[in-house]
Amino acid sequence: MIFIFSFFKNRDISSPPLLLKYRSSYAFILATICIAVFTDIFLYGVIVPVIPFALRSRVGLLEQDVQHWVSVLLAVYGAALVGASPICGFLADRTPNRRLPLLVGLLALGGSTLLLCLGATIPLLLVGRVLQGVSAAIVWTVGLALLADTVGHERIGQAIGYVSIAMSVAILIGPLLGGVVYDRAGYYAVYYMAFALIILDILLRMVLVEKKVARQWITEEPEALVAAEEKTEPLSPVIAPSPVLETTVVREAIGDETSNSPNSAAASRLDPISPTAVAPSTALPPPPPPPSQRSTKPHKAILLLLSSRRLLAALFCTLTQAILLTAWDAALPLYVNRLFGWSSIGGGLIFLPLVIPSFLAPLIGYWSDKKGPRWPTVLGFLLAVPFLVLLRFVDHGGIRQIVLLCALLALLGFAVTNAMTPLLAEITYLVYAKELSHPGAFGGRGAYATAYGLFTTAYAGGMLVGPLWGGLVTQSAGWGTMCWSLAVLSVAGAGVAVLFIGGWIGKKGTRWDSEGNRNSAVAG
């Protein structure tokens, strides 16, 4: 603790930090955020197959109570994430740097891992899961905001793709290693892996230097400087038309988000239909906002974001996608243990078919960049419906049932993956449009961390509801009921997505091709 805070003491700023060029580079910052996300998700997943067996052997619970407490311990993590995410997001947009909140999150992660490792009672395990949820809130809100600060709007989709890969790898190997190591080496060996990752995470976060800090000593390349300054000067965008902007930023800036705004004149500069419009590639910066618009009270900043139907739809779809993904955490290990007699190794391995398709996220993101986020999201939810219904027929032992279960989980994993990256991109560009239509309303640092905080809150809500849904419905009404009830939820997600993701489906917007030419108006 003393070492960490002594790192921030005043020093002679006339000399740059050692290896500043590399410590503030795009690649290093991206790698640090990816490893932070990997560590957080890995530590969540590594204990999923371990918890049921640890509750019996360490806490001494009876067999009939294990399912209940497995669901509660998984849901408490989501509850902490729900409560902490909007707070962390708002504070991160108003702190002088991003690194300090990231280090605070790392302290919470270390404390939670220690409690989970040593705790032999339900209260200690609950406190550990709460701290783990708070740490995750900081990593997701501050980490994604730091990426937006670093890479700018044009490359944020690509950066999120790498973060998605880190998350997918963690989801893939976390439960797998947790089950294998627990079975072969025992309970404490699982946490040795966790502490090793935390040490690596500490080193990377301590070494990281933000772009805005590095500019005190070095001059960046023009491209990198423009990308970094886009976040600090959101009122002066110089935008090159792109397939993403054609279905998100342009439509949002000229649509219902600006029609009632006092700054709609500035937003109309992006309207290629308007007789006074300026081409996006040569748009002049709007005038500075009046002092009354240069800052927004906390509740007003969040309400301004939540006034968008697109954002509300994206948050609902995020909640739905998280429920579909995490409902299996509480139900699947115990179900395969009861059905096939599998140990903790099998309880970890069964998640492989579900998460392997998530490696396709960059390709799905590329498709979303070209065609917009609506149809990948809708297709994902609709594809999930038949596979969820068919899972209810996995109801007895045998090799054919194992093959059927793995095949259906793999297809379900592909369907759910279709929604994650497009939804993240939707929120990113929606915030950009909000900043254009309400200049200065979010303060100098913008609203990225606040928006990512809302996204994380929605996802955490799914992580809270998912394990409870999967565990408690399976316990009270059976595996089959749990599966078809998730199918009904997926249909609801598809309905909301087709109507609102990418803008109201009945509203017409203007598309731009890759050459920057205007195409005919299309429904969006």
Side-chain angles (χ1 to χ4, degrees):
M1 176 78 73
I2 296 175
F3 171 75
I4 290 178
F5 284 101
S6 65
F7 196 82
F8 293 94
K9 287 184 178 179
N10 293 330
R11 63 180 181 84
D12 182 12
I13 63 172
S14 60
S15 58
L18 184 65
L19 300 176
L20 176 63
K21 178 180 178 181
Y22 303 100
R23 292 166 58 186
S24 62
S25 67
Y26 162 75
F28 183 79
I29 293 176
L30 176 60
T32 299
I33 300 304
C34 287
I35 291 176
V37 169
F38 174 87
T39 301
D40 176 76
I41 300 297
F42 180 86
L43 294 188
Y44 169 83
V46 76
I47 65 173
V48 166
V50 175
I51 286 178
F53 303 95
L55 287 176
R56 296 190 193 108
S57 60
R58 289 179 60 81
V59 182
L61 291 182
L62 299 176
E63 179 66 30
Q64 60 266 29
D65 296 327
V66 171
Q67 178 71 82
H68 169 77
W69 284 107
V70 166
S71 299
V72 170
L73 286 171
L74 292 174
V76 161
Y77 172 92
L81 201 51
V82 168
S85 293
I87 298 173
C88 293
F90 174 76
L91 293 177
D93 277 332
R94 284 150 182 83
T95 53
N97 62 73
R98 307 288 197 196
R99 188 176 65 166
L100 181 57
L102 285 173
L103 286 171
V104 172
L106 195 55
L107 291 178
L109 182 60
S112 70
T113 306
L114 188 62
L115 284 174
L116 292 171
C117 176
L118 301 179
T121 64
I122 291 295
L124 283 180
L125 294 178
L126 290 174
V127 172
R129 293 294 281 178
V130 168
L131 285 176
Q132 200 173 40
V134 172
S135 170
I138 296 174
V139 167
W140 281 99
T141 57
V142 182
L144 291 176
L146 178 58
L147 274 186
D149 293 342
T150 303
V151 306
H153 302 89
E154 284 79 7
R155 294 196 293 173
I156 188 64
Q158 180 186 16
I160 288 175
Y162 288 113
V163 173
S164 298
I165 291 176
M167 182 178 65
S168 299
V169 173
I171 293 173
L172 174 66
I173 70 174
L176 174 61
L177 287 180
V180 171
V181 172
Y182 177 77
D183 188 75
R184 300 297 183 185
Y187 179 79
Y188 289 105
V190 174
Y191 289 94
Y192 296 157
M193 296 188 296
F195 287 119
L197 271 177
I198 291 174
I199 291 172
L200 174 62
D201 211 353
I202 289 174
L203 294 176
L204 290 176
R205 296 194 204 186
M206 295 292 292
V207 170
L208 181 146
V209 178
E210 295 180 51
K211 286 286 187 184
K212 70 182 186 65
V213 176
R215 286 201 294 270
Q216 299 179 53
W217 297 283
I218 61 175
T219 302
E220 302 182 68
E221 296 295 328
E223 296 85 355
L225 189 60
V226 169
E229 287 181 346
E230 280 180 348
K231 186 69 193 89
T232 57
E233 295 181 320
L235 307 181
S236 304
V238 180
I239 318 167
S242 71
V244 177
L245 293 180
E246 67 187 41
T247 58
T248 52
V249 174
V250 173
R251 184 184 296 123
E252 183 79 355
I254 67 176
D256 55 354
E257 302 296 338
T258 60
S259 58
N260 298 321
S261 168
N263 304 297
S264 57
S268 70
R269 308 176 76 87
L270 293 178
D271 186 354
I273 302 175
S274 170
T276 59
V278 180
S281 59
T282 59
L284 297 175
S292 61
Q293 296 181 6
R294 290 177 184 168
S295 62
T296 301
K297 292 182 179 180
H299 68 282
K300 290 185 178 180
I302 295 177
L303 289 176
L304 181 58
L305 290 174
L306 293 177
S307 65
S308 169
R309 292 177 300 177
R310 278 177 61 186
L311 179 61
L312 293 177
L315 295 179
F316 175 80
C317 291
T318 298
L319 173 75
T320 302
Q321 189 259 358
I323 292 174
L324 295 178
L325 191 61
T326 61
W328 313 100
D329 290 351
L332 203 52
L334 286 172
Y335 190 68
V336 297
N337 174 258
R338 183 168 63 252
L339 208 62
F340 308 128
W342 290 358
S343 66
S344 61
I345 294 180
L349 289 172
I350 195 58
F351 286 95
L352 282 175
L354 187 62
V355 299
I356 284 177
S358 60
F359 285 95
L360 297 173
L363 294 178
I364 295 170
Y366 177 80
W367 177 30
S368 177
D369 285 344
K370 294 295 184 183
K371 302 298 182 182
R374 185 196 311 276
W375 298 116
T377 306
V378 172
L379 179 63
F381 284 132
L382 290 180
L383 281 177
V385 173
F387 307 139
L388 287 166
V389 173
L390 291 173
L391 275 167
R392 67 195 303 268
F393 296 110
V394 180
D395 57 2
H396 59 275
I399 188 64
R400 291 187 177 182
Q401 289 283 288
I402 294 174
V403 172
L404 177 61
L405 176 62
C406 291
L408 290 174
L409 288 176
L411 292 169
L412 176 64
F414 170 75
V416 174
T417 300
N418 270 277
M420 183 67 173
T421 303
L423 289 174
L424 269 170
E426 169 78 342
I427 290 175
T428 300
Y429 290 102
L430 185 143
V431 171
Y432 183 40
K434 279 290 187 183
E435 290 182 342
L436 290 174
S437 60
H438 297 78
F442 300 106
R445 294 188 71 94
Y448 279 99
T450 302
Y452 289 133
L454 293 173
F455 168 84
T456 308
T457 300
Y459 194 87
M463 298 182 74
L464 169 63
V465 175
L468 292 174
W469 190 317
L472 299 182
V473 173
T474 300
Q475 185 180 34
S476 61
W479 169 265
T481 301
M482 189 270 292
C483 293
W484 70 253
S485 64
L486 289 176
V488 172
L489 177 67
S490 190
V491 171
V496 172
V498 76
L499 292 176
F500 295 108
I501 295 298
W504 170 243
I505 192 171
K507 187 176 182 62
K508 292 188 174 183
T510 301
R511 293 183 180 271
W512 296 84
D513 61 23
S514 59
E515 302 297 327
N517 300 317
R518 190 179 73 186
N519 295 330
S520 59
V522 296

